[in-house]
């Protein structure tokens, strides 16, 4: 929110500098992002009167002028401007002056032009950084000609209106009442302990009329209040200089007096307004309704939009004339021959305006304010202020024809009842953790415009109508402390708090070690959004009853592609792979550790479970077993032994996929992307994916650092080849071997052999078995002992899996 210093001074007697006010505003909760000094680049430029003009002796296009600068004396200026004449009063940049030049600053020095001394330079409006809205004639092609009565030798900055500061204030979303000059003036008056001048010191004088307007609000939830007023005898013209200058300070160009008044009230009060040319309104009727599917409107900026029922329209008796809360229609704009005007001020639901603005890609100053919120008092304030200005500026005559929409809305300014809050001083002190004197609490709330009735230990407060953000006594405590001063709060520990050395929690350290393990395997960390589209789940061919389909839908998504919360990380990881391949990264390895959001039931009745998962992918170089190696590296790092069982997923290759188990619990899956899906995505390289339930896996992580003594004697290794049924997996063989003998620490597959001579449905599996001696043993494993281990394993394999020694 940009706020000119001079405009604030109209409502508050400010006796401190702009820099000091900046600090004061920051102390009460308003961050000034930038304090702009309008005239800082224009120095040592004064008003001069041209006494004489003579042709340059050696240049046809140059003129030598004698200039009277009042008490600063006379100067000789050589200029190429063609609009100079004797008697003209002009801005003169003296020796050492600075002016604006091509986006920067230019320093002026005395010098010679074609042999004639020039002791400065005449300035145009561009060199002063102004346009016609600041000073008439600033945009002419030549020197700025000042009014004849302008005093000589004075600084040019107050003359052209650049002796001012602009506060660029960050207004938080909960303070829509401060989206205006008057709203910020209330805060300045409170913090400086100064009286606030009334916004409206006079009143307008409406006249009778036979014209009658009606307003019908068909969507009262989207338009809680609509106020309209008819103005006759309108005379379109140029706004006075003071109004044009203030609009220019806020970055707006003057259009005409009627449009300027609506823009001026928007900035001053914070209420968007719109003016319709009555002759283009059919039936003297306003209807607020939803758009019909495919309905069109052309806005004031000449853009055509195709609408749908989520968009709210302002219509006359026959057609749309404005896009509610965003911009008026081109078919009812104010023109040079306008003689009758219908003024509009309304309250529109902020979510409705935001959705329409975002969907259509159409933003405006009005939509920005409606999105933060406009309270019911604002339309009445704005309409009163606008009608007073119409009358004061002589550009129209207000009438008694006022139309109000929505029967549940107040029919007049006084129909809005203030909110009442009753609390105690003890509650205020308890929330703030300090004692604020009762007199201070009373004084602060009164300065902020609250009505306060002291009842001893408690007090009653009537909330100002423009403070719709105040809901209860905790909000009153916030108002008290920001004015009383946050520096009064004493830092204290919570009752059970203690000083710590900081650092990572054990869980964070485990996550870091987990990531470092995968990085050590050649994987890079990826980070994705917490939501995606339902189409991403369709791509994985998940059935309609799949648990992953039970996803939480966002009420107000950024777009359809980010509309549901993630229940599985695989779609995001697959998107990453596709994006990399299409950008020329033909091979890579990625992982992501992030939350998925699991709802017990839909619609939500309680917050969903946020559960950590890890997704791992490789493509191009590597295969299923390389990815499995990364999972095994994680298991080894954290003392886990994963098991694998044949399992299918609709998005994985039916012959190259498995379930990952930890004990008897399934904790994830691994496999190669289904060829049909890969073909649909134009992936010519092999893609392997894995997803683990990190929350379940981390619960089994080895706690702390465990120490195992190094054995005194070497391991003993034996090879084993057995013939088993085709359906027996390597994992089952490994589990059987390790279960049969405690000394067996590892069983590693190194060969699978198939031949008809082995028998129908049979295969030969060869494994490398490692026996480790007990660390406490005082002798190595003897050949006889190893033979006993071996025989025990063979016996167990025969009994459990029907294996025969080959």
């Amino acid at each position: 929110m940009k706020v000119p210093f001079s405009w604030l001074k109209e409502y508050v007697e400010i006796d401190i500098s702009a820099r000091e006010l900046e600090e004061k505003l920051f102390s009460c909760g308003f961050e000034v992002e930038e304090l702009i000094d309008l005239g800082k680049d224009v120095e040592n430029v004064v008003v001069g009167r041209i006494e004489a003009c003579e042709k340059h002796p050696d240049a046809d296009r140059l003129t030598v002028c004698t200039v009277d600068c009042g008490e600063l004396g006379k100067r000789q200026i050589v200029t190429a401007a063609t609009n100079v004449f004797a008697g003209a009063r002009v801005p003169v940049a003296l020796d050492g002056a600075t002016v604006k030049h091509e986006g920067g600053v230019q320093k002026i020095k005395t010098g010679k032009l074609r042999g004639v001394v020039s002791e400065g330079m005449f300035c145009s409006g561009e060199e002063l950084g102004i346009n016609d809205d600041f000073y008439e004639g600033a945009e002419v092609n030549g020197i700025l000609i000042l009014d004849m009565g302008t005093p000589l030798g004075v600084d040019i900055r107050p003359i052209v209106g650049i002796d001012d500061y602009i506060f660029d204030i960050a207004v938080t979303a909960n303070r829509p009442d401060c989206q205006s000059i008057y709203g910020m003036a209330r805060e300045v008056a409170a913090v400086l302990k100064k009286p606030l001048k009334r916004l409206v010191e006079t009143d307008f004088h409406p006249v009778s009329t036979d014209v009658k307007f009606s307003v019908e609000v068909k969507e009262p939830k989207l338009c809680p209040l609509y106020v309209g007023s008819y103005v006759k005898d309108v005379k379109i013209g140029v706004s006075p200089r003071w109004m044009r200058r203030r609009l220019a300070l806020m970055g707006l160009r003057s259009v005409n007096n009627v449009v300027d008044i609506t823009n001026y009230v928007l900035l001053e009060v914070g209420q968007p307004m719109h003016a319709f040319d009555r002759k283009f309104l059919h039936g003297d009727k306003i209807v607020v309704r939803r758009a019909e599917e495919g309905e069109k409107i052309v806005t004031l900026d000449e853009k055509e939009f195709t609408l749908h029922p989520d968009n709210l329209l302002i219509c006359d008796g026959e057609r749309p004339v404005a896009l509610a809360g965003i911009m008026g229609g081109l078919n009812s704009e104010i023109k040079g021959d306008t003689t009758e005007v219908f003024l509009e001020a309304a309250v529109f639901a902020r979510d409705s305006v935001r959705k329409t603005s975002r969907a259509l890609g159409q933003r405006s100053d009005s939509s920005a304010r409606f999105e933060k919120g406009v309270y019911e008092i604002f339309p009445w304030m704005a309409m009163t202020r606008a009608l007073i200005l119409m009358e004061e500026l002589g550009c129209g005559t207000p009438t008694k024809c006022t139309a109000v929409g929505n029967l549940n809305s107040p029919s007049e300014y006084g129909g809005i009842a203030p909110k009442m809050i009753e609390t105690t001083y003890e509650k205020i002190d308890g929330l703030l953790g300090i004692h604020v004197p009762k007199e201070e609490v009373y004084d602060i709330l009164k300065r902020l415009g609250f009505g306060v009735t002291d009842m001893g230990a408690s007090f009653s407060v009537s909330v100002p109508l423009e403070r719709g953000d105040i809901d209860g006594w905790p909000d009153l405590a916030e108002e008290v402390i920001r004015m009383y001063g946050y520096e009064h709060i004493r830092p204290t520990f919570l009752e059970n708090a203690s000083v710590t050395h900081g650092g990572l929690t054990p869980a964070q350290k485990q996550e870091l070690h987990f990531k470092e393990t995968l990085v050590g395997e050649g994987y890079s960390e990826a980070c994705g959004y917490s939501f995606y589209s339902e189409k991403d789940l369709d791509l994985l061919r998940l059935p309609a009853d799949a648990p992953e389909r039970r996803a939480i839908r966002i009420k107000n998504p950024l777009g359809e592609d980010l509309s549901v919360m993630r229940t599985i990380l695989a779609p995001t990881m697959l998107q990453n792979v596709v994006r990399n391949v299409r950008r020329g990264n033909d091979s890579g390895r990625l992982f992501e550790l992030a939350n998925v959001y699991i709802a017990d039931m839909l619609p939500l009745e309680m917050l969903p479970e946020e559960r950590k998962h890890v997704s791992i992918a490789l493509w191009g170089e590597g295969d299923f077993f390389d990815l499995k190696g990364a999972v095994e590296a994680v298991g080894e790092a954290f003392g886990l032994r994963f098991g694998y069982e044949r399992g299918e997923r609709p998005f994985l290759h039916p012959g190259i996929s498995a379930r990952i188990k930890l004990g008897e619990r399934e904790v994830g899956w691994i496999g190669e992307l289904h060829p049909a899906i890969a073909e649909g995505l134009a992936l010519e390289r092999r893609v392997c994916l894995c997803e683990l339930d990190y929350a379940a896996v981390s619960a089994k992580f080895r706690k702390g650092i465990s120490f195992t003594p190094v054995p005194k004697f070497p391991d003993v290794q034996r090879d084993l080849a057995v013939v088993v049924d085709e359906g027996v997996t390597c994992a089952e063989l490994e589990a059987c071997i390790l279960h049969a003998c405690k000394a067996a620490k590892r069983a590693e597959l190194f060969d699978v052999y198939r031949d008809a001579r082995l028998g129908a449905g049979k295969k030969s599996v060869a494994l490398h078995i490692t026996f480790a001696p007990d660390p406490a043993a005082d002798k190595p494993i003897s050949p006889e002992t190893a033979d006993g281990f071996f025989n025990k394993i063979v016996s167990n394999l025969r009994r459990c899996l029907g294996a025969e020694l080959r």
Side-chain angles (χ1 to χ4, degrees):
M1 174 69 193
K2 286 185 168 57
V3 181
F5 195 29
S6 58
W7 205 342
L8 284 176
K9 289 180 177 179
E10 180 172 327
Y11 297 110
V12 185
E13 185 181 339
I14 302 175
D15 54 7
I16 60 176
S17 69
R19 294 290 176 188
E20 291 174 302
L21 181 58
E22 178 185 12
E23 296 296 326
K24 295 278 188 183
L25 287 171
F26 184 80
S27 69
C28 68
F30 292 94
E31 179 186 359
V32 179
E33 295 182 335
E34 185 180 8
L35 181 59
I36 304 168
D37 183 354
L38 287 180
K40 71 180 180 65
D41 294 334
V42 179
E43 294 184 1
N44 203 22
V45 180
V46 300
V47 178
R49 182 183 67 241
I50 300 176
E51 292 189 336
C53 297
E54 297 179 359
K55 186 178 179 181
H56 192 288
D58 295 323
D60 293 339
R61 296 186 179 181
L62 296 180
T63 304
V64 181
C65 301
T66 302
V67 185
D68 180 10
C69 297
E71 295 181 356
L72 299 175
K74 296 184 178 181
R75 300 288 194 278
Q76 179 175 281
I77 305 292
V78 180
T79 179
T82 59
N83 65 331
V84 294
F85 59 91
R89 302 199 176 208
V90 295
V92 182
L94 304 176
D95 183 57
T98 58
V99 296
K100 293 180 180 292
H101 179 69
E102 295 181 353
V105 179
Q106 179 184 5
K107 191 166 186 179
I108 306 302
K109 295 182 180 180
T110 298
K112 290 184 178 182
L113 290 176
R114 300 293 292 271
V116 177
V117 175
S118 181
E119 300 174 289
M121 183 184 78
F122 295 143
C123 296
S124 65
E126 183 179 1
E127 286 154 339
L128 299 177
I130 61 174
N131 57 32
D132 282 350
D133 290 337
F134 279 87
Y135 202 96
E136 195 68 39
E139 296 181 39
V140 301
N141 185 19
I143 301 305
L144 173 61
I145 306 300
L146 303 172
D147 296 339
M148 295 304 295
T150 308
L152 301 180
V154 299
D155 189 346
I156 193 64
R157 288 177 290 192
I159 302 300
V160 297
I162 57 174
D163 60 329
D164 206 347
Y165 290 88
I166 304 292
F167 295 88
D168 190 353
I169 302 173
V171 179
T172 53
N174 67 317
R175 293 300 305 273
D177 60 297
C178 290
Q179 298 182 102
S180 64
I181 302 299
Y182 195 69
M184 288 307 307
R186 281 194 300 266
E187 294 295 320
V188 171
V191 75
L192 297 182
K193 300 181 180 180
K194 300 278 188 179
L196 176 67
K197 297 178 184 177
R198 292 182 59 196
L199 175 66
V200 178
E201 296 288 352
T202 59
D203 203 354
F204 63 96
H205 306 88
V207 299
S208 298
T209 179
D210 295 332
V211 175
K212 293 183 180 179
F213 267 90
S214 64
V215 175
E216 179 184 2
V217 179
K218 293 186 176 181
E219 296 291 337
K221 289 185 178 180
L222 303 185
C223 180
L225 174 63
Y226 188 99
V227 180
S229 189
Y230 166 65
V231 181
K232 69 176 187 176
D233 301 331
V234 173
K235 301 177 182 65
I236 301 299
V238 179
S239 300
R241 180 183 292 177
W242 63 266
M243 178 176 283
R244 286 185 287 136
R245 177 182 176 272
R246 286 184 174 174
L247 293 175
L249 288 174
M250 303 291 280
L252 297 179
R253 291 303 304 264
S254 173
V255 179
N256 57 55
N257 48 9
V258 173
V259 175
D260 288 353
I261 285 173
T262 61
N263 287 333
Y264 187 85
V265 171
L266 165 69
L267 299 173
E268 188 176 48
V269 181
Q271 169 65 50
M273 296 191 69
H274 186 65
F276 298 101
D277 189 328
R278 185 208 169 193
K279 68 173 174 285
F280 297 121
L281 295 180
H282 301 158
D284 286 345
K285 181 178 183 180
I286 293 294
V287 179
V288 184
R289 62 170 174 82
R290 291 182 183 270
E292 297 175 2
E293 188 65 47
E295 194 168 8
K296 297 181 183 294
I297 187 172
V298 179
T299 51
L300 288 170
D301 56 0
E302 300 183 2
K303 294 180 182 178
E304 183 178 68
F305 297 99
T306 301
L307 310 176
H308 55 82
D310 285 343
N311 308 134
L312 192 66
L313 286 176
I314 308 299
C315 306
D316 61 12
E318 299 177 3
R319 59 188 181 158
V321 292
L323 203 52
I326 299 175
M327 191 173 290
L330 189 64
N331 55 11
S332 59
E333 70 171 328
I334 303 299
K335 297 183 178 180
D337 60 350
T338 297
T339 57
E340 298 173 287
V341 163
F342 184 76
L343 290 177
E344 163 196 280
V347 177
F348 299 113
R350 64 183 73 182
D351 57 336
S352 173
V353 175
R354 182 171 57 250
K355 287 178 181 178
T356 298
S357 175
R358 183 177 295 165
L360 300 180
Q362 182 79 334
R363 291 188 59 81
S364 64
D365 290 338
S366 296
S367 67
R369 282 166 170 80
F370 279 121
E371 286 178 19
K372 287 188 177 179
V374 170
Y375 301 133
E376 287 187 343
I377 186 64
F378 292 165
W380 295 108
M381 294 171 60
M383 186 61 72
T384 302
R385 180 62 169 150
L387 293 175
I388 289 173
L389 288 171
M390 293 285 286
E391 189 173 79
E392 285 184 353
L393 301 185
C395 57
T397 302
T399 71
K400 295 181 180 179
C401 175
T402 299
V404 180
N406 195 346
L407 295 177
N408 295 323
S409 297
S411 58
E412 57 183 8
Y413 189 105
I416 308 175
K419 186 184 301 181
M420 301 299 298
I421 299 174
E422 188 172 324
T423 186
T424 65
Y425 295 101
E426 184 179 0
K427 282 185 176 181
I428 301 294
D429 289 349
L431 183 61
L432 299 179
I434 60 173
H435 173 64
V436 182
K438 291 173 57 176
E439 299 77 12
E440 282 285 350
V441 174
Y442 182 88
D443 182 57
I444 288 170
L445 293 177
K446 290 290 286 184
R447 293 202 318 263
L448 288 169
F450 293 84
V452 186
T453 303
D454 191 2
M455 299 180 293
S458 63
F459 61 95
S460 177
V461 172
S462 63
V463 180
L465 297 176
E466 63 272 8
R467 293 301 305 274
D469 60 301
I470 303 297
D471 287 329
W473 66 268
D475 295 321
L476 298 179
E478 181 183 358
E479 296 298 299
V480 169
I481 193 57
R482 71 185 184 88
M483 288 294 172
Y484 186 56
Y486 293 104
E487 67 275 7
H488 289 92
I489 296 179
R490 297 185 299 273
T492 57
F493 279 117
L494 296 174
E495 184 176 351
N496 298 319
S498 62
V499 177
T500 67
H501 294 292
L504 301 177
T505 65
Q508 290 171 330
K509 290 178 180 178
Q510 285 183 339
E511 284 187 23
L512 183 60
H513 184 33
F514 187 94
K515 293 178 180 180
E516 288 173 343
T517 302
L518 289 175
V519 169
E521 293 294 311
Y523 291 81
S524 299
E525 184 175 8
C527 184
Y529 290 116
S530 296
F531 19 74
Y532 43 50
S533 171
E534 289 183 351
K535 293 180 181 178
D536 293 321
L537 298 175
D538 295 338
L539 178 64
L540 297 187
R541 301 182 172 186
L542 292 169
D545 59 348
E548 294 87 353
R549 290 279 190 181
R550 198 165 59 243
I552 303 162
R553 187 165 186 85
I554 307 298
K555 285 186 176 180
N556 185 27
L558 295 172
E560 183 58 32
D561 56 334
L562 298 171
S563 58
V564 297
M565 303 298 291
R566 294 197 291 190
T567 57
I568 180 174
L569 301 184
T572 305
M573 185 58 73
L574 188 55
Q575 289 174 9
N576 291 337
V577 173
V578 172
R579 188 179 300 111
N580 274 274
V581 170
R582 290 177 180 173
R583 294 181 181 179
N585 298 323
D586 293 332
S587 63
R589 301 185 178 202
L590 293 175
F591 75 90
E592 180 181 10
L593 179 60
N595 283 341
V596 296
Y597 303 86
I598 302 170
D600 288 338
M601 62 181 63
L602 295 175
L604 283 176
E605 295 183 358
M606 60 181 64
L607 291 176
E609 179 188 0
E610 298 185 30
R611 192 173 184 87
K612 283 190 183 294
H613 276 207
V614 61
S615 178
I616 314 173
L618 65 81
W619 69 96
E621 298 176 357
D623 57 15
F624 173 91
F625 295 102
D626 291 288
L627 187 59
K628 179 173 177 287
V631 177
E632 290 298 313
V634 168
E636 187 173 347
F638 290 94
L640 305 177
R641 187 184 296 277
F642 291 111
Y644 302 88
E645 291 183 357
R646 185 182 300 277
E648 294 185 1
R649 298 260 168 169
F651 51 88
L652 295 180
H653 193 299
I656 312 176
S657 60
R659 293 192 297 268
I660 303 175
K661 301 186 72 174
L662 196 57
E664 295 300 319
R665 181 175 181 179
E666 183 177 335
V667 294
W669 49 262
I670 184 172
E672 184 178 315
L673 184 65
H674 198 289
I677 297 178
E679 183 180 356
L681 295 172
L683 294 172
E684 298 179 357
R685 301 258 180 162
R686 176 186 291 142
V687 177
C688 295
L689 299 170
C690 169
E691 186 157 333
L692 291 172
D693 184 344
Y694 178 84
V697 172
S698 61
K700 300 295 184 180
F701 282 172
R702 183 172 50 212
K703 301 296 188 290
I705 299 174
S706 60
F707 171 73
T708 302
V710 178
K712 298 177 183 179
F713 306 103
D715 295 341
V716 174
Q717 296 170 340
R718 291 288 181 92
D719 291 342
L720 171 69
V722 291
V723 177
V724 295
D725 292 336
E726 276 287 355
V728 176
T729 65
C730 179
E732 290 174 325
L733 287 169
E734 181 184 356
C736 188
I737 291 170
L738 298 179
H739 181 72
C741 179
K742 292 183 179 180
K745 299 303 180 184
R746 288 189 301 277
E748 299 169 298
L749 174 72
F750 69 86
D751 183 57
V752 177
Y753 173 72
R754 293 177 175 86
D755 191 278
R757 289 174 293 178
L758 296 176
K762 298 290 185 178
K763 64 181 177 181
S764 171
V765 180
L767 301 103
H768 193 66
I769 304 173
T770 301
F771 300 109
D774 189 332
D778 55 359
K779 60 181 180 180
I781 298 176
S782 65
E784 293 78 10
T785 303
D787 289 342
F789 293 156
F790 186 86
N791 293 332
K792 188 176 182 181
I793 289 172
V794 171
S795 176
N796 199 50
L797 288 172
R798 182 180 294 112
R799 183 176 63 256
C800 296
L801 300 176
E804 294 294 338
L805 190 62
R806 183 181 169 197

